[in-house]
Every structure is written in structure tokens, then in C-alpha cells.
Amino acid sequence: MFFITKYTEFAENFFLKIFALSASSTVNINHSSKEIGSKRKIPFRMSNIKPEKEFGLYAQVLVDVHSRKLDKPFTYGLDENQAHKIYVGAVVTVPLKKRSVRGYVVDLNEFPPPLPKGVVIKPVESVAEADSLWDREMIDLARWMEHYYGCTFLDALKVMIPAPVRAKKGGGIPPEPRVKMVVFKNAPDEWEKFERRAPGQTIALKYLMEREKPVKLSSAVKESEISHSVFRALEKKGLVEIFEGSPSFRYFHEFPAGTMGAFKLSEDQKKVYDILIEKYKSPDVEVVLLHGITGSGKTEVYLHLIQKALEDGKEALVLVPEISLTPQAIERFCGRFGEEIAILHSRLTGVQRRQMWWKIRHKEVRVVLGARSAVFAPLENIGIIVVDEEHDSSYKQEREPRYNARQVAIKRAMHHKALVILGSATPSMESYYFAMENKYTFLDLPRRIGGSVLPEIETVNLKNDFKEKRGRIIGDTLMGEMLEVLSRGEQLMLFINRRGFSAFLLCHECGNVVRCPYCDISLTYHKDGHTMKCHYCDYHRPAPSICPFCRGHMLSTPAPGIQKVEEELREYFPGISYIRMDRDTTKGKDSHHQILSSFAGRKAQILIGTQMIAKGHDFPGVTLVGVVLADVSLYLPDFRSLERTYQVLTQVAGRAGRREAKGKVIIQTYNPETPVILAVARQDYKEFYDWESANRCALNYPPFSHIINLLFTGKNESKLREYAIIFSDLLRNKKFKDLFIAVLGPAPCPLSRIKSKYRWHVTLKGKRVVKMVAVIKAIIAKFPIPPDMSFSVDVDPTSLM
């Protein structure tokens, strides 16, 4: 009862007053002016006398110290020399108590603010940046993120600027790293004769032909085990090209501007494009939900609109879920815009990231394409923002600050008066709801381009689909379709959203499963290496041959994963080439691209994978998609599990039949009559939305309310529980009956322990997010989180696991 004894009286006497205030207005408990430039607390007595001007300029500086108590601007003075070279957004060094700290200028004033008596404004020690990192738009955006997402002002500011940019003192573009690059150019006239006479050159040439894109010469020498002189000989023959270039801009070398022209829009695309142009020209901020079935040509519409924006002298921002999983989209954008485009992704080196950021800042490029963090690209004249696959959960950051790039993109559009296009074949429930409520404009692309049609979808009940060996995971119906497709020389994809060979190892004698000692989860059995692994903390151990609990020998793997599918492919389809794509096979640099390129080049007939293979790929040779087990995510204890199941099944089904040959999809399931599976089979998003929205409306889940998930973590579970109980009781105060629709918990999270830390959460439902967050921050400020615990605020979470 540690916390209850310590804080009950404090809560009763003090918090009701604070909460009564916060229920009617946003709580501001910082009172920055009390401590501006001060080393000690000063009684809150403001002077009525206008302060004298002692400095040339006054800077509001946010110090780079991770403390909620210091998460507010402090006033510092600038002498005449400093005042002439400083801007809002500059990096400075300032005194804080007895040390010097880094800080960021968030405002500049000619006169100081009213100060408490006895407070002395200290001078800025030095200006570390000649150029500013943030402009006023980004500072205002950080303030909004602080109030909406409950993060600190400092975290919101720092997430906007890549760490390599913040780390450097100079403000210019670093010199571009130049290395020797080599790329295939031409094939020899007489290939057989060439092979006989120059076997070494043949190996080198085939190596480059397989990769297709420019590679570093040193890498080519090492990987092909062929000397530099061989590549030089090929260059003299005109078969390869060796040049000095930058690996970070390899897309530009491959697709210079103008090499990929615009395609003519179909009738449906032209209709949508014309409406979007009207919205683009509107002086108001317009948000458009573009619902286009898989293969309907949304990307080409984006490209036409961006071209229009560039012709008008504006800039464009394009967000995609994961750069590494959308190489075809990147190729199309780079092929259309060449050196006008910057690609931002996680695999850039620190130097490359810094270089790219400054190129954008100095207006050397006008189109930015990237994943979640690209939403903060330093563009100053945005005309159009595209959020492709807007439903994807990867747009939500799962660490502080827990922002959603889709929401931030809309906020940026409000500043620039830009057009926002949210594109998806399976929109999020929230976006579709706003479109139906006329808060967004709804546009539809109902047909595929090029005359292809949506694939036929057949659901198969796994309870009665095995005539022979029931130990298989690939049923008879799917097996038969696979044999037919392979016999025609076509390609197919197999999807199962589970890593490893089995989700757990079960003892049939005592019923126990092998669990992670540090997390509240079973260990996944990986047959390659015969190991048990935890996918949350990376703990691993050898797989036991006997049960560690009862010493029994009846161990089984009843929850099949992707390695089980791979094993059956080897057993029933010997000699058929396949590629596996999951997190375990894509750890190397460029491994995503290599796998996808190999399959696109028909070097394998079968691609098996997890949800990585469901996102935006266009493989002309794929005529069959098999969903090996559709039930994996169906019954997770999370309110979005059905929505995610519908989205991933529809997306992966859309990979089939994207050209002339008609596609087919086989969905294996133990629950074929589930409304989600039925809606997928009928390819009817509206049917799914109507059914799911009725359930959510009854329970006040999004989009009919906002959810805030408060997560408490620590190693002492009883202490954690007591703190969470007090916190939730304060939120249940009658003063907030109109603010919170519901306060649920505290309760252990479904994943109640990760990395030896227990996890409890309190879930809030309400409609006024900023006021809800203000109350939470008021409690945190006056009821500090103990040092052996951590606490996070997750607004509009994508998962409650």
C-alpha cells in the first residue's frame, strides 16, 4: 500500500481543485515565467514595472534536457553581434544552473517578458548553427504535437530533424561521398564465343546483369570474386560503365529525368484527376480519400497531380508505409521526376541522411518520397501531400513521440493550404467515417486498369479439406490450384502472417508450452537451427527434445508458421524454385529489394511470405495467391484485429491477376462464415465497414470516439498496480464525467510482461483529445512518475496489446 498511503491525502486536498479548472479549460501548470533564466524557484509575484532592455534581442530557448520540469522555453539575452546572425530554429549553447547545455531557439523578442522580482536574464553563450533547423511552421507543429499527443515539446522538436543533422555544428551540405560505381551496359554480340574465351569476364558480366542497378565497384569485386582488371577490361569493350557516383542516389543514375514518361489516364482515372485538380486549385485545405481497388492505378493519378504542382512552382510530399517494400513505386517516381526527387528511408547512412535533408532545405529537390518520418521534410511551399496506403499501421510511431504521420500530414497541409490525398484499397475506419460524414471528399476508382479484373476469391474450410494427410497446412484445394498454375509456368504467392515453424511447442502429456523467461509470451520454434526464440526480447535457447516440465516426449508444433509452409513446399513440390520473405530472411542490406527483384524477374515460381508481401507489389506473372491460414490475427484481444485482418487479406488477394490472365485467391480458414472473411471473399469494403462500425458505435470505439492508452511499465508489479489504481481513480473524479466517456482499467496488458518489465494500462475514451491530454499532464506534473517506473501516453493507438 506504498502509494495509497503516501498520496491519498495529497490527492483529496489538491487535485480536485486542479481538475475542476481543467474540466473547463486547458490546464497550463508550467508557469514558465516563474523560472525563466533562474537557478532556483522564485515565489510567483509578477512585477508591474516594464523590464529594462539589457540585450539586443531576447531568445526563448528550449533546453535539450529530457525532463518534463524543464520542458518549456526559458528567456536568454543576445548581444548585438549574436542578434544579427540568429534565427528562430537556431541551435545555441546556454547556461543552466552550473553547466552549459544545448538549446533550440523557438522564438525571438525585442523586449523581455514580465519577470518575477529578483530574476536575472542570462546571456546566450554561443550560437552553434549559422542556419536554422526549424522554421516557425515546424515549431508550431511541435507545439500542436505536444498538446495533442501528450509528448514533450523537446521530443516533438527533435523527431523532426534527423539526428545526424542536429549533431553537426555546421549548417551546410556535407561533401557528397564519391565512390567508383559499375553498371551493366551491353551484352556481347556472340555470347557463346564470349563465354569460351573470357570465363572471368562472363562471371563479372552475369553478376552485373543480375543486379541491374549500379553497385559499388569494390562490392562487385568482393562478391563476384573477380579482380578490378576484369571489370576494367569489360569497360574497354563497352559492356559495362564505371563512373564516380554516390550509392545514396543510385535511383537517379538508373532513372534520370524523362526516361519514364506519363501514361495516358483511363476514363476512371481522368474523372478522378479532374476533380482532384479542382480541389488542388481551391484556396481551402482539402482532404480527399481516394478509395481505389488493388490495381486501379492510384499511383499514376498521384504522378499526374505532382507534375501539375511542380509546373505551378510548388513542392510535393509523398508518404509510403515502408520504402524497402515498395521498390516498384520508387522506380516509377524516380523515373518520372529524376533528380527532382529525394528518397528518405531508414537505410541511409548518417552522412547520406544529413546530405539529403540539406538538399531539401536548400530547394535542390522539390519532391520528397519517404516513410513515416518524411512527413517532417523541410519543404516550404507544399502544394500536394499524398499518403499512400493510408490505413497502414506503420504510419504510427510506437515510441515517443507517438505521432501518426497521416494526422501530421493533414496538419501540415493546413499551414500550406495544400491538397491531401489519402489513398487506399482498404481505408482505415476513421478515414472512411470522415468521408461518409463529408469531412473528407470521397473519390472512387472501381475498376482495374488495362482491362484486368479482380481475382476470383474462394474460401476453403480447413476442417474438411484434407482427404489424405491431415498433418499438412496446405489443403487439398490449394494444393490442386498450385499444381495447375505451376504446370502453366505461372507464378504464385503463399501468405501466412506468422514467423518461425510454430508459434509454440506443446507437450501433450502435461499441456505446458515453453515460455520466454523475460516476457509473458511463448517462445516461437524455429526449425532452422532447432531453436526457440522470443520475438520481443530476442531471447533464444536450443529447442528441447523432451518437455522441461514433465520430462515427457510427446512434443508437437500445433501453430504452424512460414517455415512449416516452406517445409511442405520442399516435400510436395521438389525442384520448384521458391523464395521466402519474412523478417528472418530480410536482415541484410538491400535484402528486401533483392528478393522482390528476383521474384519479379521470374527467378522463382513461388514467393512465400508474411505481411511484407501484401504491400503494393505488382508481379505480372502471379495468377494465384494462397492464404495459408486466415485466422492468425482474427481473434487477437484488440479492437482493431478484425479491421487489420480485412485489410491484409484484401491487400494480399490484390496481388493476383494484375494483367491479362485472370487471377484466383484461395483463403484457407477454420471460420469461413465470419463476417470479415465473407466481406473479403465478396471484395466488398462497404459491407465490412457497415458491420464493423455498428459494433464499434455500440462500444464507443473509434471512429466514434478517441482512445488514449496510458501504459505503465516497471519491474515491481505490485507497486505498478497501486500507482495505476490511484491514477485511474483520479481520472474517474465526477468533475470529468463530461470529459471521459469511459475510463477502463487499470488492467494488465494482453502482453503483460516484456523484457522483464510488467505492463499495466488504463484506457480512456472521449471526444476532446487536447483537454483529455491536459488532465493527464496535470496529474503527471503534480504526481510524478517514480524513477523505477515508466509511463507513456498513446493517443489514437493502433493496438492495445
Side-chain angles (χ1 to χ4, degrees), residues 229 785 793:
S229 60
I785 308 298
V793 180

Side-chain angles (χ1 to χ4, degrees), residues 14-30 727 730-740 764 768-782:
F14 185 80
F15 274 97
L16 293 183
K17 297 178 183 179
I18 294 293
F19 295 159
L21 174 65
S22 65
S24 58
S25 62
T26 301
V27 179
N28 181 0
I29 57 174
N30 283 337
F727 207 104
L730 293 170
L731 292 170
R732 287 190 177 92
N733 187 276
K734 62 182 180 180
K735 299 290 183 180
F736 303 127
K737 64 180 181 180
D738 295 328
L739 182 61
F740 297 115
L764 311 176
R768 293 177 290 173
V769 171
V770 173
K771 289 189 176 182
M772 293 164 69
V773 168
V775 170
I776 294 165
K777 294 180 83 168
I779 297 177
I780 296 171
K782 296 300 180 181

Side-chain angles (χ1 to χ4, degrees), residues 547 598 634 656 762:
C547 176
S598 295
L634 206 53
V762 174

Side-chain angles (χ1 to χ4, degrees), residues 61-72 74 76 94-97 99-104 152-155 158:
V61 178
L62 184 68
V63 294
D64 193 351
V65 179
H66 285 277
S67 166
R68 285 192 177 267
K69 290 183 179 180
L70 299 177
D71 191 53
K72 52 195 173 185
F74 292 88
Y76 290 90
V94 295
L96 183 69
K97 294 188 177 180
R99 57 180 173 147
S100 296
V101 298
R102 187 181 176 95
Y104 309 115
T152 63
F153 190 15
L154 180 63
D155 281 342
K158 291 177 74 171

Side-chain angles (χ1 to χ4, degrees), residues 8-238:
T8 298
E9 183 179 350
F10 174 70
E12 288 177 353
N13 294 335
F14 185 80
F15 274 97
L16 293 183
K17 297 178 183 179
I18 294 293
F19 295 159
L21 174 65
S22 65
S24 58
S25 62
T26 301
V27 179
N28 181 0
I29 57 174
N30 283 337
H31 296 307
S32 301
S33 56
K34 293 200 305 183
E35 300 178 18
I36 294 174
S38 175
K39 294 184 179 180
R40 59 190 178 86
K41 287 192 175 182
I42 304 295
F44 191 68
R45 291 184 292 108
M46 303 301 295
S47 172
N48 293 323
I49 302 174
K50 186 176 181 178
E52 294 184 6
K53 185 175 180 180
E54 301 176 4
F55 295 93
L57 206 61
Y58 295 87
Q60 297 296 315
V61 178
L62 184 68
V63 294
D64 193 351
V65 179
H66 285 277
S67 166
R68 285 192 177 267
K69 290 183 179 180
L70 299 177
D71 191 53
K72 52 195 173 185
F74 292 88
T75 300
Y76 290 90
L78 295 156
D79 60 34
E80 294 293 339
N81 291 332
Q82 292 172 329
H84 286 302
K85 64 179 182 180
I86 199 165
Y87 305 90
V88 170
V91 180
V92 296
T93 303
V94 295
L96 183 69
K97 294 188 177 180
K98 295 182 179 181
R99 57 180 173 147
S100 296
V101 298
R102 187 181 176 95
Y104 309 115
V105 177
V106 297
D107 202 3
L108 291 169
N109 306 106
E110 186 178 353
F111 293 95
L115 300 173
K117 289 183 179 179
V119 172
V120 177
I121 295 178
K122 296 181 179 181
V124 169
E125 294 178 353
S126 64
V127 180
E129 290 285 355
D131 199 356
S132 60
L133 297 182
W134 297 268
D135 57 17
R136 289 192 181 275
E137 179 212 349
M138 303 310 282
I139 291 171
D140 291 343
L141 183 64
R143 275 294 192 194
W144 172 80
M145 290 173 63
E146 175 193 9
H147 295 309
Y148 188 88
Y149 290 110
C151 62
T152 63
F153 190 15
L154 180 63
D155 281 342
L157 271 183
K158 291 177 74 171
V159 78
M160 296 176 175
I161 310 296
V165 177
R166 286 186 279 109
K168 295 291 182 180
K169 293 184 178 180
I173 301 176
E176 183 175 336
R178 311 295 289 181
V179 297
K180 292 289 184 182
M181 306 287 289
V182 59
V183 65
F184 170 77
K185 191 175 180 182
N186 296 305
D189 294 333
E190 299 179 10
W191 183 262
E192 293 183 2
K193 186 177 179 180
F194 180 81
E195 281 185 302
R196 288 196 305 270
R197 291 188 174 183
Q201 293 181 21
T202 301
I203 294 173
L205 204 57
K206 285 183 176 179
Y207 169 86
L208 294 176
M209 290 171 69
E210 289 175 356
R211 275 139 189 84
E212 299 175 351
K213 296 182 178 181
V215 296
K216 288 195 293 184
L217 180 58
S218 59
S219 299
V221 169
K222 182 178 180 181
E223 293 174 9
S224 66
E225 299 181 349
I226 299 296
S227 67
H228 281 84
S229 60
V230 173
F231 287 96
R232 292 294 181 189
L234 288 170
E235 182 186 28
K236 290 179 180 179
K237 293 179 180 180

Side-chain angles (χ1 to χ4, degrees), residues 706-726:
H706 288 278
I707 281 184
I708 300 179
N709 194 42
L710 308 180
L711 178 64
F712 306 84
T713 60
K715 293 190 174 182
N716 188 324
E717 187 175 21
S718 61
K719 199 172 178 181
L720 196 71
R721 177 178 174 274
E722 289 179 9
Y723 185 90
I725 287 173
I726 293 176

Side-chain angles (χ1 to χ4, degrees), residues 2 24 70 92 114 120 155 170 231 280 294 308 351 362 367 409-410 425 499 506 510 663 705:
F2 175 78
S24 58
L70 299 177
V92 296
V120 177
D155 281 342
F231 287 96
Y280 163 75
T294 55
K308 171 61 177 172
V351 172
H362 290 164
V367 181
I410 294 173
R499 292 168 61 192
L506 173 68
C510 68
S705 73

